[in-house]
Amino acid sequence: MTNELTCNQVIALMSFYVEDKLNSRLKEYVDEHLRHCPGCREVYMQSQKIANHIMSLTNYNDQTDSYHTKQYEDFKNNLSAYIDNELTENESVRIKKIAITNPLARKDLEDMYTFKKLLHSSFEKTRTEWKNDYSKLIINKLNKNPEKIQMDPFYKLIGAFTALVSLIIFGFLATLYF
């Protein structure tokens, strides 16, 4: 591996980097890339912010936080389905009401939309940076050059052997009768 990572590689490693789960050598490569790439640095800062928020949510004390309720737990359990429009209309309305009335839920919803937007923009950036769609190139190449039927080498050898034996027999017969 070279010392330079591409943006795609850094984005793929970002969650491990944020959680400090990379080996020291790979961490140095990502650090180096983040020093020189403002786009990836922005993705890192957003990922770090979201990770810190999630960690702060797990550290809440239920007794001191008046917004940490059964409704909020229900909201957290259905948040991903809500973001992906997988809930029924009644369930979606219930989740919206919780998000309006509970500041924690509203913050979580905002963070999820920010994270979704960040992932989408990273994907779009990656997709537009790809100069070649290799699957299209391969399909075009296959369509332009239909496969030639190749004969098995064993059959070629049998054919050559048969021709050689035929010539020997024909030569032998020719010397006998002429």
Side-chain angles (χ1 to χ4, degrees):
M1 173 179 235
T2 65
N3 291 2
E4 295 180 17
L5 296 175
T6 65
C7 292
N8 296 340
Q9 291 169 326
V10 171
I11 297 299
L13 294 170
M14 190 60 68
S15 63
F16 299 108
Y17 182 79
V18 168
E19 295 174 8
D20 198 27
K21 293 185 177 179
L22 294 176
N23 66 38
S24 60
R25 187 169 149 212
L26 197 52
K27 185 178 182 307
E28 288 175 20
Y29 295 156
V30 174
D31 286 337
E32 182 66 27
H33 182 88
L34 292 176
R35 277 194 282 278
H36 300 292
C37 181
C40 290
R41 193 170 36 251
E42 179 64 29
V43 171
Y44 166 69
M45 289 188 298
Q46 289 292 331
S47 299
Q48 186 67 41
K49 180 180 173 186
I50 291 169
N52 289 340
H53 178 69
I54 290 171
M55 290 305 294
S56 69
L57 289 177
T58 59
N59 294 331
Y60 270 117
N61 185 348
D62 291 349
Q63 298 169 346
T64 60
D65 190 359
S66 62
Y67 294 110
H68 198 81
T69 62
K70 168 92 172 81
Q71 282 184 330
Y72 177 66
E73 289 297 322
D74 186 43
F75 173 84
K76 284 192 333 184
N77 291 335
N78 290 305
L79 183 57
S80 178
Y82 174 76
I83 296 289
D84 294 333
N85 295 321
E86 296 173 347
L87 298 177
T88 65
E89 188 175 333
N90 290 338
E91 291 171 323
S92 293
V93 169
R94 188 173 43 82
I95 295 299
K96 287 177 187 176
K97 286 180 182 178
I98 295 171
I100 291 170
T101 59
N102 189 323
L104 285 176
R106 191 169 39 256
K107 177 72 173 136
D108 286 348
L109 185 60
E110 289 170 0
D111 286 345
M112 285 297 286
Y113 276 122
T114 301
F115 187 63
K116 184 178 179 181
K117 183 179 175 185
L118 183 67
L119 286 175
H120 182 72
S121 66
S122 295
F123 172 74
E124 286 300 315
K125 179 183 173 190
T126 301
R127 190 174 71 157
T128 57
E129 286 178 353
W130 282 352
K131 300 288 187 238
N132 297 320
D133 183 352
Y134 293 106
S135 58
K136 284 184 182 178
L137 288 174
I138 291 169
I139 289 171
N140 287 338
K141 200 174 208 180
L142 287 174
N143 288 336
K144 288 180 184 175
N145 296 328
E147 274 188 41
K148 296 177 182 174
I149 299 175
Q150 298 251 340
M151 188 179 284
D152 189 0
F154 176 74
Y155 293 123
K156 287 181 182 179
L157 185 62
I158 294 294
F161 180 74
T162 305
L164 183 63
V165 169
S166 298
L167 284 174
I168 292 172
I169 292 173
F170 180 75
F172 179 73
L173 290 176
T175 55
L176 285 177
Y177 292 110
F178 294 118

